Amino acid sequence: MKKILMIPVLPGLVLSSSACSSDSGDTARFSTNRTVKTPEQTRIPDHSDSLMNMKLNIMTDKGVVHARLYDNASAKDFIALLPLTLMLEDFNKTEKIAGLPKGLSTSGAPDGYTPHKGDIAFYAPWGNLCIFYRDFRYSPGLVQLGKTDDDGISKLTTSHSVTISLDTDQ
């Protein structure tokens, strides 16, 4: 009786294991034929056409950190919250984070991206503003809002927590 039951199960195992493989060796596809983006494919280009003319000022007790915001739905929602005062807390020795008063739109945003030092982002699952002072790995749910000037980010890393005020020039 056991031999009879094993025979119908075996073809099912062969079919299910072949659905997850590809003759081309492309491991970035699943049986749904949805292509998985690599971290490099989700990085917003660092060129001026994708940046708005909107300048963001991040005021700290150490001085002002200047930044520019990207032209996307999340950044536009973020601008609508300004002016804003937040207490940033260190997270993972990589970024400073703070909860926002409300969530931001993620319309048109990639599924995630690989943040770099100086990036300002919105982490949709937690509703946090993130300012990265170190590079980090690809993070699903992370949406890039803008980028700080190269030298200003050190003003945010002098202590575990820092109070900031955010506003625009315009």
Side-chain angles (χ1 to χ4, degrees), residues 5 16 24 29 55 60 68 75 81 110 115 151 157:
L5 292 176
S16 67
S24 67
R29 292 191 183 269
K55 293 180 181 175
T60 74
R68 291 188 53 200
L81 297 176
D151 59 348
T157 61

Side-chain angles (χ1 to χ4, degrees), residues 60-129:
T60 74
D61 61 343
K62 304 292 182 199
V64 179
V65 178
H66 299 281
R68 291 188 53 200
L69 298 174
Y70 284 97
D71 188 6
N72 62 40
S74 301
K76 289 174 183 172
D77 271 4
F78 179 66
I79 291 166
L81 297 176
L82 302 178
L84 192 61
T85 299
L86 299 170
M87 171 67 78
L88 292 175
E89 298 288 332
D90 194 72
F91 186 75
N92 203 27
K93 297 181 182 175
T94 303
E95 63 189 280
K96 298 289 186 183
I97 64 170
L100 291 173
K102 69 174 207 150
L104 306 178
S105 170
T106 57
S107 175
D111 293 337
Y113 88 101
T114 304
H116 295 280
K117 178 181 177 180
D119 282 356
I120 301 169
F122 172 63
Y123 186 57
W126 292 354
N128 283 353
L129 176 70

Side-chain angles (χ1 to χ4, degrees), residues 6 9 28-29 34 41 48-50 66 80 83 88 90 93 95 111 135 144 151 157 161 164:
M6 293 297 287
V9 173
R29 292 191 183 269
R34 180 175 174 223
Q41 292 171 315
S48 59
D49 351 356
S50 62
H66 299 281
L88 292 175
D90 194 72
K93 297 181 182 175
E95 63 189 280
D111 293 337
D135 292 351
Q144 193 169 27
D151 59 348
T157 61
S161 60
I164 61 168

